[in-house]
Short mmCIF file of all heavy atoms in Angstrom, two decimals:
data_model
loop_
_atom_site.label_atom_id
_atom_site.label_comp_id
_atom_site.label_asym_id
_atom_site.label_seq_id
_atom_site.Cartn_x
_atom_site.Cartn_y
_atom_site.Cartn_z
N PRO A 229 70.70 82.21 98.39
CA PRO A 229 71.10 81.11 99.28
C PRO A 229 72.34 80.27 98.75
O PRO A 229 73.13 79.86 99.56
CB PRO A 229 69.89 80.19 99.50
CG PRO A 229 69.04 80.61 98.29
CD PRO A 229 69.29 82.03 97.93
N GLU A 230 72.39 80.12 97.41
CA GLU A 230 73.47 79.26 96.88
C GLU A 230 74.89 79.98 97.18
O GLU A 230 75.78 79.35 97.64
CB GLU A 230 73.32 79.03 95.43
CG GLU A 230 71.98 78.38 95.00
CD GLU A 230 70.83 79.34 94.84
OE1 GLU A 230 71.06 80.55 95.04
OE2 GLU A 230 69.76 78.93 94.41
N ALA A 231 74.90 81.24 96.78
CA ALA A 231 76.11 82.05 97.00
C ALA A 231 76.43 82.12 98.55
O ALA A 231 77.68 82.07 98.94
CB ALA A 231 76.04 83.40 96.39
N ALA A 232 75.42 82.10 99.33
CA ALA A 232 75.66 82.25 100.74
C ALA A 232 76.34 80.99 101.33
O ALA A 232 77.31 81.05 102.09
CB ALA A 232 74.28 82.44 101.48
N VAL A 233 75.96 79.87 100.75
CA VAL A 233 76.55 78.55 101.17
C VAL A 233 78.05 78.52 100.71
O VAL A 233 78.98 78.24 101.45
CB VAL A 233 75.74 77.35 100.61
CG1 VAL A 233 76.53 76.08 100.79
CG2 VAL A 233 74.37 77.30 101.17
N LEU A 234 78.23 79.01 99.39
CA LEU A 234 79.65 78.99 98.90
C LEU A 234 80.50 79.94 99.70
O LEU A 234 81.64 79.68 100.07
CB LEU A 234 79.59 79.46 97.42
CG LEU A 234 78.95 78.53 96.42
CD1 LEU A 234 78.94 79.20 95.02
CD2 LEU A 234 79.77 77.16 96.31
N THR A 235 79.97 81.04 100.08
CA THR A 235 80.78 82.07 100.82
C THR A 235 81.07 81.51 102.22
O THR A 235 82.27 81.72 102.65
CB THR A 235 79.94 83.39 101.01
OG1 THR A 235 79.58 83.92 99.76
CG2 THR A 235 80.68 84.45 101.68
N TYR A 236 80.09 80.87 102.86
CA TYR A 236 80.31 80.35 104.13
C TYR A 236 81.46 79.29 104.15
O TYR A 236 82.27 79.30 105.11
CB TYR A 236 79.06 79.56 104.63
CG TYR A 236 79.18 78.87 105.88
CD1 TYR A 236 79.07 79.49 107.12
CD2 TYR A 236 79.44 77.48 105.94
CE1 TYR A 236 79.15 78.89 108.36
CE2 TYR A 236 79.61 76.85 107.18
CZ TYR A 236 79.44 77.53 108.28
OH TYR A 236 79.60 76.87 109.53
N PHE A 237 81.53 78.51 103.19
CA PHE A 237 82.66 77.57 103.06
C PHE A 237 83.99 78.00 102.58
O PHE A 237 84.97 77.47 102.84
CB PHE A 237 82.23 76.27 102.29
CG PHE A 237 81.24 75.45 102.99
CD1 PHE A 237 79.90 75.37 102.54
CD2 PHE A 237 81.57 74.67 104.08
CE1 PHE A 237 78.93 74.60 103.21
CE2 PHE A 237 80.69 73.88 104.73
CZ PHE A 237 79.32 73.85 104.36
N LEU A 238 83.93 79.15 101.84
CA LEU A 238 85.16 79.67 101.36
C LEU A 238 85.87 80.67 102.38
O LEU A 238 87.09 80.72 102.53
CB LEU A 238 84.87 80.61 100.09
CG LEU A 238 86.01 80.97 99.13
CD1 LEU A 238 86.65 79.70 98.70
CD2 LEU A 238 85.40 81.70 98.12
N ALA A 239 85.09 81.27 103.28
CA ALA A 239 85.55 82.29 104.20
C ALA A 239 86.76 81.71 105.16
O ALA A 239 87.68 82.36 105.42
CB ALA A 239 84.49 82.91 105.02
N PRO A 240 86.51 80.47 105.65
CA PRO A 240 87.57 79.96 106.68
C PRO A 240 88.93 79.90 106.09
O PRO A 240 89.92 79.95 106.79
CB PRO A 240 86.95 78.58 106.99
CG PRO A 240 85.57 78.59 106.72
CD PRO A 240 85.39 79.57 105.54
N PHE A 241 89.06 79.67 104.75
CA PHE A 241 90.38 79.56 104.11
C PHE A 241 91.13 80.94 104.26
O PHE A 241 92.29 80.96 104.59
CB PHE A 241 90.22 79.13 102.60
CG PHE A 241 89.73 77.80 102.50
CD1 PHE A 241 88.41 77.50 102.14
CD2 PHE A 241 90.59 76.68 102.70
CE1 PHE A 241 87.93 76.20 102.01
CE2 PHE A 241 90.18 75.42 102.56
CZ PHE A 241 88.83 75.09 102.19
N PHE A 242 90.43 81.94 103.98
CA PHE A 242 91.05 83.30 104.23
C PHE A 242 91.38 83.53 105.67
O PHE A 242 92.38 84.06 106.04
CB PHE A 242 90.11 84.38 103.72
CG PHE A 242 89.93 84.45 102.28
CD1 PHE A 242 88.79 84.03 101.66
CD2 PHE A 242 90.93 84.91 101.38
CE1 PHE A 242 88.60 84.04 100.35
CE2 PHE A 242 90.82 84.91 100.07
CZ PHE A 242 89.58 84.49 99.45
N GLY A 243 90.43 83.11 106.52
CA GLY A 243 90.62 83.34 108.07
C GLY A 243 91.84 82.52 108.48
O GLY A 243 92.54 83.01 109.25
N LEU A 244 92.04 81.31 107.97
CA LEU A 244 93.04 80.41 108.40
C LEU A 244 94.47 80.99 108.02
O LEU A 244 95.36 81.12 108.90
CB LEU A 244 92.93 79.01 107.76
CG LEU A 244 93.65 77.88 108.38
CD1 LEU A 244 93.00 77.64 109.75
CD2 LEU A 244 93.51 76.66 107.50
N ILE A 245 94.63 81.50 106.78
CA ILE A 245 95.88 82.11 106.37
C ILE A 245 96.20 83.31 107.27
O ILE A 245 97.29 83.35 107.84
CB ILE A 245 95.80 82.61 104.90
CG1 ILE A 245 95.47 81.39 104.03
CG2 ILE A 245 97.04 83.29 104.49
CD1 ILE A 245 95.06 81.73 102.63
N TYR A 246 95.20 84.20 107.52
CA TYR A 246 95.48 85.35 108.32
C TYR A 246 95.73 84.96 109.78
O TYR A 246 96.58 85.50 110.41
CB TYR A 246 94.29 86.30 108.14
CG TYR A 246 94.39 87.55 108.96
CD1 TYR A 246 95.09 88.63 108.52
CD2 TYR A 246 93.79 87.58 110.20
CE1 TYR A 246 95.26 89.76 109.28
CE2 TYR A 246 93.84 88.80 110.99
CZ TYR A 246 94.65 89.84 110.58
OH TYR A 246 94.76 90.94 111.35
N GLY A 247 94.89 84.02 110.22
CA GLY A 247 94.97 83.60 111.64
C GLY A 247 96.37 83.06 112.04
O GLY A 247 96.91 83.40 113.03
N VAL A 248 96.83 82.15 111.15
CA VAL A 248 98.21 81.54 111.32
C VAL A 248 99.27 82.64 111.40
O VAL A 248 100.08 82.78 112.30
CB VAL A 248 98.51 80.54 110.43
CG1 VAL A 248 99.97 80.08 110.44
CG2 VAL A 248 97.56 79.33 110.58
N TRP A 249 99.23 83.57 110.38
CA TRP A 249 100.21 84.65 110.23
C TRP A 249 100.03 85.57 111.48
O TRP A 249 101.08 85.97 112.07
CB TRP A 249 99.85 85.40 108.92
CG TRP A 249 100.65 86.61 108.76
CD1 TRP A 249 102.02 86.74 108.39
CD2 TRP A 249 100.27 88.00 108.78
NE1 TRP A 249 102.38 87.95 108.15
CE2 TRP A 249 101.34 88.77 108.49
CE3 TRP A 249 99.07 88.60 109.19
CZ2 TRP A 249 101.23 90.14 108.46
CZ3 TRP A 249 98.95 90.00 109.11
CH2 TRP A 249 100.03 90.83 108.83
N ASN A 250 98.88 85.92 111.89
CA ASN A 250 98.57 86.82 112.95
C ASN A 250 99.10 86.25 114.34
O ASN A 250 99.71 86.90 115.05
CB ASN A 250 97.08 87.17 113.10
CG ASN A 250 96.89 88.39 113.84
OD1 ASN A 250 97.58 89.30 113.83
ND2 ASN A 250 95.73 88.46 114.51
N LEU A 251 98.79 84.96 114.55
CA LEU A 251 99.16 84.23 115.69
C LEU A 251 100.69 84.20 115.80
O LEU A 251 101.20 84.39 116.89
CB LEU A 251 98.58 82.85 115.71
CG LEU A 251 98.45 82.15 117.01
CD1 LEU A 251 97.55 82.92 117.93
CD2 LEU A 251 97.91 80.72 116.81
N ALA A 252 101.29 83.97 114.73
CA ALA A 252 102.79 83.87 114.73
C ALA A 252 103.50 85.20 114.99
O ALA A 252 104.39 85.29 115.68
CB ALA A 252 103.33 83.36 113.27
N LEU A 253 102.82 86.26 114.45
CA LEU A 253 103.42 87.55 114.61
C LEU A 253 103.07 88.29 115.93
O LEU A 253 103.83 88.89 116.52
CB LEU A 253 103.05 88.42 113.41
CG LEU A 253 103.84 88.25 112.14
CD1 LEU A 253 103.25 89.20 111.07
CD2 LEU A 253 105.25 88.66 112.34
N HIS A 254 101.80 88.23 116.22
CA HIS A 254 101.29 89.10 117.27
C HIS A 254 100.81 88.30 118.59
O HIS A 254 100.42 88.82 119.54
CB HIS A 254 100.18 89.92 116.92
CG HIS A 254 100.49 90.70 115.64
ND1 HIS A 254 101.40 91.74 115.55
CD2 HIS A 254 99.97 90.68 114.41
CE1 HIS A 254 101.46 92.25 114.35
NE2 HIS A 254 100.63 91.57 113.60
N LYS A 255 100.77 86.95 118.48
CA LYS A 255 100.14 86.20 119.54
C LYS A 255 98.84 86.70 119.86
O LYS A 255 98.38 86.72 121.01
CB LYS A 255 101.07 86.11 120.86
CG LYS A 255 102.57 85.85 120.54
CD LYS A 255 102.90 84.46 121.07
CE LYS A 255 104.38 84.14 120.72
NZ LYS A 255 104.61 83.70 119.34
N ASP A 256 98.10 86.98 118.86
CA ASP A 256 96.76 87.57 119.01
C ASP A 256 95.78 86.51 118.57
O ASP A 256 95.75 86.05 117.47
CB ASP A 256 96.67 88.90 118.04
CG ASP A 256 95.38 89.60 118.29
OD1 ASP A 256 94.50 89.06 119.14
OD2 ASP A 256 95.13 90.52 117.61
N HIS A 257 94.86 86.18 119.57
CA HIS A 257 93.84 85.16 119.25
C HIS A 257 92.59 85.61 118.68
O HIS A 257 91.88 84.93 118.07
CB HIS A 257 93.56 84.33 120.52
CG HIS A 257 94.78 83.60 121.10
ND1 HIS A 257 95.07 82.24 120.60
CD2 HIS A 257 95.76 83.91 121.86
CE1 HIS A 257 96.17 81.88 121.19
NE2 HIS A 257 96.57 82.89 122.02
N GLU A 258 92.32 86.93 118.97
CA GLU A 258 91.03 87.43 118.56
C GLU A 258 91.20 87.90 117.12
O GLU A 258 92.04 88.66 116.73
CB GLU A 258 90.77 88.69 119.42
CG GLU A 258 89.24 88.87 119.75
CD GLU A 258 88.97 90.05 120.43
OE1 GLU A 258 89.84 90.49 121.30
OE2 GLU A 258 88.04 90.72 120.08
N LEU A 259 90.34 87.34 116.24
CA LEU A 259 90.44 87.77 114.88
C LEU A 259 89.07 88.12 114.35
O LEU A 259 88.20 87.39 114.54
CB LEU A 259 91.23 86.77 114.06
CG LEU A 259 90.57 85.64 113.17
CD1 LEU A 259 91.66 85.16 112.28
CD2 LEU A 259 90.14 84.48 114.03
N PRO A 260 88.99 89.20 113.64
CA PRO A 260 87.70 89.69 113.19
C PRO A 260 87.33 88.81 111.96
O PRO A 260 88.23 88.45 111.12
CB PRO A 260 88.03 91.11 112.72
CG PRO A 260 89.48 91.22 112.39
CD PRO A 260 90.13 90.13 113.28
N TYR A 261 86.10 88.45 111.86
CA TYR A 261 85.70 87.46 110.86
C TYR A 261 85.05 88.17 109.65
O TYR A 261 84.98 87.61 108.57
CB TYR A 261 84.80 86.38 111.44
CG TYR A 261 84.76 85.10 110.63
CD1 TYR A 261 85.92 84.42 110.45
CD2 TYR A 261 83.62 84.65 110.06
CE1 TYR A 261 85.98 83.15 109.75
CE2 TYR A 261 83.58 83.46 109.25
CZ TYR A 261 84.73 82.74 109.20
OH TYR A 261 84.78 81.62 108.44
N GLY A 262 84.59 89.34 109.88
CA GLY A 262 83.95 90.11 108.80
C GLY A 262 84.77 90.20 107.53
O GLY A 262 84.26 90.07 106.43
N PRO A 263 86.05 90.65 107.60
CA PRO A 263 86.84 90.73 106.39
C PRO A 263 86.94 89.43 105.57
O PRO A 263 87.00 89.46 104.27
CB PRO A 263 88.21 91.11 106.87
CG PRO A 263 87.98 91.73 108.18
CD PRO A 263 86.81 91.07 108.76
N PHE A 264 86.96 88.24 106.34
CA PHE A 264 86.96 87.02 105.51
C PHE A 264 85.72 86.59 104.83
O PHE A 264 85.79 86.10 103.76
CB PHE A 264 87.53 85.93 106.46
CG PHE A 264 88.70 86.24 107.27
CD1 PHE A 264 88.71 86.26 108.71
CD2 PHE A 264 89.85 86.95 106.64
CE1 PHE A 264 89.76 86.56 109.48
CE2 PHE A 264 90.90 87.25 107.41
CZ PHE A 264 90.90 87.13 108.75
N LEU A 265 84.61 86.93 105.56
CA LEU A 265 83.35 86.63 104.89
C LEU A 265 83.25 87.61 103.67
O LEU A 265 82.78 87.18 102.67
CB LEU A 265 82.18 87.10 105.87
CG LEU A 265 82.00 86.04 107.04
CD1 LEU A 265 80.86 86.54 108.00
CD2 LEU A 265 81.58 84.71 106.57
N SER A 266 83.77 88.85 103.88
CA SER A 266 83.69 89.85 102.72
C SER A 266 84.50 89.32 101.49
O SER A 266 84.03 89.36 100.47
CB SER A 266 84.15 91.14 103.16
OG SER A 266 83.35 91.63 104.25
N MET A 267 85.79 88.94 101.79
CA MET A 267 86.64 88.45 100.78
C MET A 267 86.03 87.27 99.97
O MET A 267 86.06 87.21 98.81
CB MET A 267 88.07 88.14 101.28
CG MET A 267 88.94 89.22 101.58
SD MET A 267 90.59 88.65 101.89
CE MET A 267 90.59 88.86 103.68
N ALA A 268 85.48 86.32 100.85
CA ALA A 268 84.87 85.19 100.19
C ALA A 268 83.71 85.53 99.31
O ALA A 268 83.58 85.03 98.26
CB ALA A 268 84.44 84.19 101.40
N ALA A 269 82.81 86.45 99.86
CA ALA A 269 81.69 86.97 99.08
C ALA A 269 82.16 87.51 97.66
O ALA A 269 81.53 87.32 96.75
CB ALA A 269 80.90 87.95 99.78
N VAL A 270 83.26 88.42 97.69
CA VAL A 270 83.71 88.94 96.51
C VAL A 270 84.24 87.94 95.62
O VAL A 270 83.89 87.93 94.26
CB VAL A 270 84.90 89.95 96.84
CG1 VAL A 270 85.62 90.34 95.58
CG2 VAL A 270 84.36 91.18 97.49
N ILE A 271 84.96 86.92 96.03
CA ILE A 271 85.39 85.79 95.15
C ILE A 271 84.13 85.07 94.56
O ILE A 271 84.12 84.72 93.38
CB ILE A 271 86.26 84.80 95.90
CG1 ILE A 271 87.46 85.49 96.47
CG2 ILE A 271 86.66 83.57 95.06
CD1 ILE A 271 88.50 85.94 95.38
N VAL A 272 83.13 84.77 95.45
CA VAL A 272 81.92 84.06 94.94
C VAL A 272 81.26 84.90 93.85
O VAL A 272 80.87 84.41 92.85
CB VAL A 272 81.02 83.74 96.13
CG1 VAL A 272 79.67 83.35 95.64
CG2 VAL A 272 81.57 82.74 97.03
N MET A 273 81.12 86.24 94.08
CA MET A 273 80.55 87.05 93.06
C MET A 273 81.23 87.07 91.74
O MET A 273 80.64 86.96 90.70
CB MET A 273 80.43 88.49 93.52
CG MET A 273 79.27 88.87 94.53
SD MET A 273 79.23 90.64 94.90
CE MET A 273 80.05 90.66 96.43
N LEU A 274 82.54 87.13 91.83
CA LEU A 274 83.37 87.22 90.59
C LEU A 274 83.25 85.86 89.85
O LEU A 274 83.60 85.91 88.59
CB LEU A 274 84.80 87.58 90.93
CG LEU A 274 85.04 89.09 91.37
CD1 LEU A 274 86.41 89.26 91.79
CD2 LEU A 274 84.68 89.97 90.19
N THR A 275 83.11 84.83 90.53
CA THR A 275 83.23 83.55 89.87
C THR A 275 81.86 82.77 89.93
O THR A 275 81.81 81.56 89.58
CB THR A 275 84.24 82.63 90.58
OG1 THR A 275 83.90 82.48 91.99
CG2 THR A 275 85.67 83.19 90.51
N GLN A 276 80.79 83.45 90.38
CA GLN A 276 79.61 82.72 90.63
C GLN A 276 79.09 81.89 89.56
O GLN A 276 78.85 80.62 89.87
CB GLN A 276 78.48 83.81 91.01
CG GLN A 276 77.25 83.12 91.67
CD GLN A 276 76.28 84.13 92.17
OE1 GLN A 276 76.27 85.26 91.73
NE2 GLN A 276 75.52 83.76 93.17
N SER A 277 78.92 82.36 88.43
CA SER A 277 78.31 81.35 87.41
C SER A 277 79.18 80.16 87.11
O SER A 277 78.65 79.05 86.85
CB SER A 277 77.91 82.10 86.09
OG SER A 277 78.51 83.34 85.97
N ARG A 278 80.52 80.41 87.18
CA ARG A 278 81.34 79.17 87.02
C ARG A 278 81.20 78.18 88.12
O ARG A 278 81.07 76.99 87.83
CB ARG A 278 82.83 79.63 86.81
CG ARG A 278 83.17 80.04 85.48
CD ARG A 278 84.27 81.06 85.45
NE ARG A 278 84.04 81.83 84.26
CZ ARG A 278 84.58 81.49 83.00
NH1 ARG A 278 85.19 80.38 82.88
NH2 ARG A 278 84.40 82.31 81.98
N LEU A 279 81.17 78.74 89.41
CA LEU A 279 81.07 77.89 90.45
C LEU A 279 79.72 77.10 90.39
O LEU A 279 79.58 75.91 90.66
CB LEU A 279 81.11 78.59 91.79
CG LEU A 279 82.48 79.05 92.27
CD1 LEU A 279 82.37 80.08 93.45
CD2 LEU A 279 83.45 77.89 92.61
N MET A 280 78.66 77.93 90.01
CA MET A 280 77.28 77.35 89.94
C MET A 280 77.28 76.27 88.90
O MET A 280 76.67 75.21 89.13
CB MET A 280 76.30 78.44 89.46
CG MET A 280 76.09 79.53 90.44
SD MET A 280 75.12 78.97 91.80
CE MET A 280 74.97 80.46 92.68
N ASN A 281 77.98 76.45 87.83
CA ASN A 281 77.99 75.48 86.77
C ASN A 281 78.63 74.14 87.26
O ASN A 281 78.14 73.10 86.83
CB ASN A 281 78.73 75.98 85.49
CG ASN A 281 77.86 76.97 84.72
OD1 ASN A 281 76.69 76.89 84.90
ND2 ASN A 281 78.48 77.86 83.92
N HIS A 282 79.59 74.29 88.13
CA HIS A 282 80.35 73.16 88.56
C HIS A 282 79.51 72.33 89.69
O HIS A 282 79.40 71.28 89.64
CB HIS A 282 81.68 73.43 89.12
CG HIS A 282 82.65 73.62 87.98
ND1 HIS A 282 83.11 72.67 87.13
CD2 HIS A 282 83.27 74.86 87.48
CE1 HIS A 282 83.91 73.16 86.27
NE2 HIS A 282 84.09 74.48 86.42
N PHE A 283 79.02 73.21 90.56
CA PHE A 283 78.50 72.64 91.91
C PHE A 283 76.94 72.40 91.73
O PHE A 283 76.42 71.38 92.24
CB PHE A 283 78.77 73.35 93.08
CG PHE A 283 80.27 73.39 93.35
CD1 PHE A 283 81.07 74.56 93.19
CD2 PHE A 283 80.91 72.22 93.75
CE1 PHE A 283 82.41 74.46 93.36
CE2 PHE A 283 82.28 72.16 93.93
CZ PHE A 283 82.99 73.33 93.74
#
Side-chain angles (χ1 to χ4, degrees):
E230 301 87 355
V233 174
L234 292 173
T235 303
Y236 175 85
F237 285 109
L238 197 59
F241 292 102
F242 292 106
L244 202 64
I245 296 166
Y246 178 83
V248 169
W249 176 74
N250 198 34
L251 201 59
L253 278 179
H254 308 294
K255 310 253 177 281
D256 184 1
H257 294 270
E258 216 186 322
L259 92 168
Y261 204 59
F264 310 127
L265 289 174
S266 301
M267 279 191 260
V270 167
I271 298 292
V272 167
M273 276 186 260
L274 288 172
T275 58
Q276 192 169 25
S277 15
R278 276 151 207 277
L279 286 170
M280 294 288 185
N281 283 338
H282 283 292
F283 295 109

